[in-house]
Amino acid sequence: MIDGAMQPFALTLDKFLDHASRWRPTSQVVTAREDGQVARIGYADLAARSRRVSAVLAGLGVQGGARVATLAWNTQAHMEAWYAIMGMGAVCHTLNPRLTADHLSGMVTRSGARLLIVAGDLVALARQIADRVPQDLQLIVIDGAAEAGTAALEPMIADAADGFAWGGFDETAPCGLCFTSGTTGAPKGVTYTHRSSYLHTLRVLQADVMAISGADVVLAVVPMFHANAWGLPFAAPAVGAKLVLPGRNADGASLARLIQSEGVTVGVGVPTVWLGLLEHLEAEGGETPSLKRIIVGGAPMPPALMARLEARLGVIVQTSWGMTELSPSGTVAAPHDPRSPAQSGRPAIGVDLMVADAEGRPLPEQRNTEGHLHVRGAAVVERYFGETAPATNPDGWFATGDLARIDEAGNLVITGRAKDLIKSGGEWINPAEIEAVVGALPEVSLAAVIGRTDAKWGERPILLVELREPDSVSDDALLAPLKGKVASWWIPDEVVRLEAMPLAATGKIDKLRLRAEYGAAAGGGAT
Amino acid sequence: MIDGAMQPFALTLDKFLDHASRWRPTSQVVTAREDGQVARIGYADLAARSRRVSAVLAGLGVQGGARVATLAWNTQAHMEAWYAIMGMGAVCHTLNPRLTADHLSGMVTRSGARLLIVAGDLVALARQIADRVPQDLQLIVIDGAAEAGTAALEPMIADAADGFAWGGFDETAPCGLCFTSGTTGAPKGVTYTHRSSYLHTLRVLQADVMAISGADVVLAVVPMFHANAWGLPFAAPAVGAKLVLPGRNADGASLARLIQSEGVTVGVGVPTVWLGLLEHLEAEGGETPSLKRIIVGGAPMPPALMARLEARLGVIVQTSWGMTELSPSGTVAAPHDPRSPAQSGRPAIGVDLMVADAEGRPLPEQRNTEGHLHVRGAAVVERYFGETAPATNPDGWFATGDLARIDEAGNLVITGRAKDLIKSGGEWINPAEIEAVVGALPEVSLAAVIGRTDAKWGERPILLVELREPDSVSDDALLAPLKGKVASWWIPDEVVRLEAMPLAATGKIDKLRLRAEYGAAAGGGAT
């Protein structure tokens, strides 16, 4: 008996741009340039240019499986490079320009990339990387002219052949490589596959997740140099949505201008960029009537900021949770669900969550109990780049390092980072709970609690704050709201006022740096 | 160099019910019973019962790959059987109770099923099938008590073990078998795979397609016995939506009662069922304020009906196009796009369309040109059940048999069925164009045009109509609107008035029967 069959259809990422090219050929990718103007291109033209970039790369000897590094902002040229690299079966190794040359060269050494596609204004950093890696690293400049020792991509595109054939490889082939931000440990490489990123895209497109439609205009503030810009360069062409790329400038004024001129309906980025937008609009005036939704993630959402955004902009704020290791989206609060800044939504099909004890054993009660968050799914890391041991336990769960509880309705509430926990007198203090209380004060922009080495207790918590206005509030007033909300011995021993909270390259508070500067027993650092 | 890896995650359908069971355990499947009451069950309990059904089937000797037939309405028990069969790697062969025992036994003979799961009120038909097939066919009764020679499932569920292990097979394993409706030719078997139906589900869940969310209450009027009920028994648990199953009654009064009592937000079914709902509400009064959207397909949408539905019910009507061979959804008009009854929406990622000449060669101009519609995609048939030859051409395109054009924006407009074309004097007449004009008249419920054998011209068109009220309009008045809209020689030679248009088991006008009764040169049939 012959069973019959459905058509073969490899889940490879080139299909997204091809689909947009055929069905939404004139829907645009818009890039903000440094001169305040924008560049526009339709998906059909972008796909054609991107295939020419593949031809250029093939001419330079790039083969399937080879890593090609990129060091660039959110721009059309970067997107063309992504699809050129991935479409031909090579691996796009994105580099974060806000990391140091030492860090980046370590990553490039490990990836073995021999080509680095670099934005014109990042060539100096690229040269430093090239100087530090053992392999020959050829620099190809996009968004700018070639300098000595580099080659400009644009003239090569002009000379390249049309219609380079994409796909034809197995859908489990790697397409991308991204190292974790390293805010809580040494960076690890996460290898994305065509299949995993394709399935991730179909997940975020659901009405209960990012719900992006062809009628949307999506502003991707989340960087393409880290964790796939939350998958937006895949999701937007998959449905033919107009995609707005802000280039390197994510300040409030730049974002407001783009939202207004391009009619942005959905903005996606870490909370701080929306704070910048809000402060700009409050200071300068102006409205953003086209904006319907803001999707935030990558850091806890301050409740006051969420309330101000919804009130001032008239938008729905969708909180989310993800990690580099998750491609990166884990959960997104559905647009129509009751919203809370502490909640990050329910997992959609393709993601499963579990809370465990410190040894990874599932807690007997999975609801309303804090535990170590584990995740499983089609777009979750199984094994880090260059490693032989799995990143998962024998049951296939990946330990996220986050502490969390899951409420009765299945919503994820991140309660802290396991590595941020402070051990004081043999007991654990969760800094995230303290930060949530202090961070909710109207005078506070950002708050962080770290452990300081203490001769008697092992560690004691100290509070670091960045205030909206200096000296607007006393130390006592900062700590007073904690009474009754956390145990008295959790209350920080000291308040340190910072002019600017150190942020990691992904916009998260850099606790490694805070601990290095303020974690020693002597105290330290200027206030 | 070790590439790293993402987690293995087989795209198997059991995951939908498992996900609902873990994340929306109390979201319900509601079934209308014959007594006017409803039965309710949460997804967690439904999944547990369904696993027990798998244990029962395993005890009866069902193994992976084996076909298990079902002959039942849209009910909880049928859904439990679906997941039980598919979850264990067997193949669910759905049978349409509106077909004859001769037709059905032919299908069961070909599928080789040895078990038939049958609704209590369909046992007589099941016996007729069993009598006609060469193999032993065991009858298992759901939704009813056992009769002589059958076994009731419910007592076996009570005795079965919990926790039957689902999955563990390859995602390309077959999960379902459905024969085409045969309105235009001999029925052919379409084999669905776990992977194809999983990807179909992710597609219809997109915001631009069916946009079903966990907050929705979905009324699946489309039958589970044909073409997977458009995938709703997969899509609803995948997002945890409440699913309302109408049992065997799809009359307007029954649907109105269910919509009102269950708070249905999205209704899915062929146009005629919504006509029934409308006529019931207009005759009896009543409102359906929870209903936001109606998704129609399976037959052309009469413009007047669409306008009445949107005006009277305050809903958005989403037109669509699909086929058994497409799992079955091809295109769905996006909720936010401009709507037209003639358009069926754009293809979402995973579906590609092409118009060709009669030999299957792509037309040079793919927009605004009528041609033979071809389709390619992850959930499109490649080879029919039991056949060795592919159903696709060498480029992988499946010829749908539909005539269509694609408008500038990429919307599909079905213009007819290739096999319905009438050849008159050596030239082609497209009956669908005539039907669209006549069907738009307010006096007309249903209109069909077929070719009648003609000594001089080969074929001549005749018009068959079912009127809202008999004798409300003259033949001339029915034909007059055609003048100037179609060529004069396209105007039907005769009008035949039918009390009731013959409908095939899927709700479509049965043109095979019309041609058999009215297509001979002598004319014939009572008016």
Side-chain angles (χ1 to χ4, degrees), chain B residues 141-161:
Chain B
V141 179
I142 54 175
D143 295 327
E147 305 174 17
T150 72
L153 184 59
E154 201 58 42
M156 293 193 275
I157 294 177
D159 289 342

Side-chain angles (χ1 to χ4, degrees), chain B residues 409-451:
Chain B
N411 291 293
L412 178 66
V413 180
I414 298 291
T415 54
R417 284 289 297 172
K419 288 189 180 171
D420 287 346
L421 290 179
I422 298 164
K423 199 163 196 177
S424 188
E427 300 288 336
W428 293 107
I429 294 172
N430 185 348
E433 292 187 36
I434 304 169
E435 291 159 2
V437 174
V438 178
L441 296 174
E443 297 89 351
V444 174
S445 279
L446 291 165
V449 172
I450 62 166

Side-chain angles (χ1 to χ4, degrees), chain A residues 268-426:
Chain A
V268 187
V270 295
T272 45
V273 303
W274 307 115
L275 177 62
L277 172 66
L278 198 59
E279 289 179 341
H280 168 80
L281 292 175
E282 285 175 352
E284 305 293 328
E287 301 295 330
T288 53
S290 63
L291 195 64
K292 301 286 178 273
R293 295 187 287 131
I294 286 177
I295 303 173
V296 297
M301 184 66 193
L305 174 58
M306 182 153 160
R308 284 168 72 199
L309 284 169
E310 296 208 341
R312 175 66 172 79
L313 305 181
V315 297
I316 289 172
V317 173
Q318 292 177 256
T319 50
S320 76
W321 165 78
M323 305 178 72
T324 307
E325 289 90 337
L326 270 62
S327 305
S329 180
T331 60
V332 178
H336 50 73
D337 271 353
R339 293 183 298 284
S340 148
Q343 290 175 352
S344 305
R346 277 179 276 229
I349 181 76
V351 176
D352 202 6
L353 305 177
M354 182 269 287
V355 283
D357 64 18
E359 284 70 46
R361 289 176 298 232
L363 297 181
E365 182 49 70
Q366 286 288 311
R367 292 293 182 269
N368 299 317
T369 309
E370 188 180 37
H372 292 255
L373 181 64
H374 288 61
V375 62
R376 220 162 39 180
V380 179
V381 70
E382 186 188 30
R383 200 176 65 245
Y384 287 107
F385 180 82
E387 297 191 7
T388 51
T392 53
N393 73 14
D395 291 329
W397 291 103
F398 169 71
T400 64
D402 280 332
L403 302 172
R405 60 185 170 77
I406 298 163
D407 74 13
E408 200 58 43
N411 290 294
L412 178 66
V413 180
I414 298 290
T415 54
R417 284 290 296 173
K419 287 189 179 169
D420 287 346
L421 290 179
I422 298 164
K423 198 162 197 178
S424 188

Side-chain angles (χ1 to χ4, degrees), chain A residues 181-499:
Chain A
S181 61
T183 45
T184 56
K188 294 175 185 168
V190 179
T191 301
Y192 305 115
T193 71
H194 281 267
R195 177 180 162 103
S196 66
S197 288
Y198 195 108
L199 292 172
H200 180 275
T201 302
L202 295 188
R203 175 154 48 84
V204 302
L205 288 176
Q206 289 180 26
D208 266 341
V209 189
M210 292 194 190
I212 293 167
S213 88
D216 276 316
V217 180
V218 181
L219 174 62
V221 189
V222 282
M224 291 174 65
F225 55 69
H226 191 76
N228 298 330
W230 299 4
L232 296 173
F234 304 133
V239 297
K242 179 173 164 184
L243 180 62
V244 180
L245 301 174
R248 74 177 294 167
N249 299 315
D251 59 284
S254 300
L255 297 185
R257 193 166 54 236
L258 277 175
I259 293 167
Q260 289 160 350
S261 64
E262 300 302 326
V264 168
T265 62
V266 182
V268 187
V270 295
T272 45
V273 303
W274 307 115
L275 177 62
L277 172 66
L278 198 59
E279 289 179 341
H280 168 80
L281 292 175
E282 285 175 352
E284 305 293 328
E287 301 295 330
T288 53
S290 63
L291 195 64
K292 301 286 178 273
R293 295 187 287 131
I294 286 177
I295 303 173
V296 297
M301 184 66 193
L305 174 58
M306 182 153 160
R308 284 168 72 199
L309 284 169
E310 296 208 341
R312 175 66 172 79
L313 305 181
V315 297
I316 289 172
V317 173
Q318 292 177 256
T319 50
S320 76
W321 165 78
M323 305 178 72
T324 307
E325 289 90 337
L326 270 62
S327 305
S329 180
T331 60
V332 178
H336 50 73
D337 271 353
R339 293 183 298 284
S340 148
Q343 290 175 352
S344 305
R346 277 179 276 229
I349 181 76
V351 176
D352 202 6
L353 305 177
M354 182 269 287
V355 283
D357 64 18
E359 284 70 46
R361 289 176 298 232
L363 297 181
E365 182 49 70
Q366 286 288 311
R367 292 293 182 269
N368 299 317
T369 309
E370 188 180 37
H372 292 255
L373 181 64
H374 288 61
V375 62
R376 220 162 39 180
V380 179
V381 70
E382 186 188 30
R383 200 176 65 245
Y384 287 107
F385 180 82
E387 297 191 7
T388 51
T392 53
N393 73 14
D395 291 329
W397 291 103
F398 169 71
T400 64
D402 280 332
L403 302 172
R405 60 185 170 77
I406 298 163
D407 74 13
E408 200 58 43
N411 290 294
L412 178 66
V413 180
I414 298 290
T415 54
R417 284 290 296 173
K419 287 189 179 169
D420 287 346
L421 290 179
I422 298 164
K423 198 162 197 178
S424 188
E427 300 288 338
W428 293 106
I429 294 171
N430 185 349
E433 293 189 34
I434 305 170
E435 291 160 1
V437 174
V438 177
L441 296 175
E443 298 88 351
V444 175
S445 278
L446 292 165
V449 172
I450 62 166
R452 189 168 64 187
T453 306
D454 185 277
K456 183 174 178 186
W457 301 105
E459 282 187 311
R460 284 296 300 154
I462 64 167
L463 170 68
L464 302 105
V465 288
E466 177 188 322
L467 298 178
R468 289 189 202 287
E469 299 186 13
D471 306 322
S472 58
V473 59
S474 70
D475 288 1
D476 281 351
L478 287 168
L479 298 176
L482 292 167
K483 283 169 191 140
K485 291 200 177 148
V486 300
S488 59
W489 57 275
W490 281 33
I491 293 177
D493 282 1
E494 188 182 334
V495 177
V496 179
R497 291 147 186 268
L498 303 179
E499 271 186 33

Side-chain angles (χ1 to χ4, degrees), chain A residues 130-175:
Chain A
D131 288 345
R132 284 168 170 78
V133 297
Q135 70 267 40
D136 280 336
L137 184 65
Q138 188 175 354
L139 306 187
I140 310 284
V141 180
I142 54 174
D143 295 327
E147 303 174 18
T150 72
L153 184 59
E154 201 59 42
M156 293 192 276
I157 293 177
D159 291 341
D162 276 325
F164 187 93
W166 282 344
F169 41 79
D170 193 273
E171 68 189 34
T172 60
C175 64

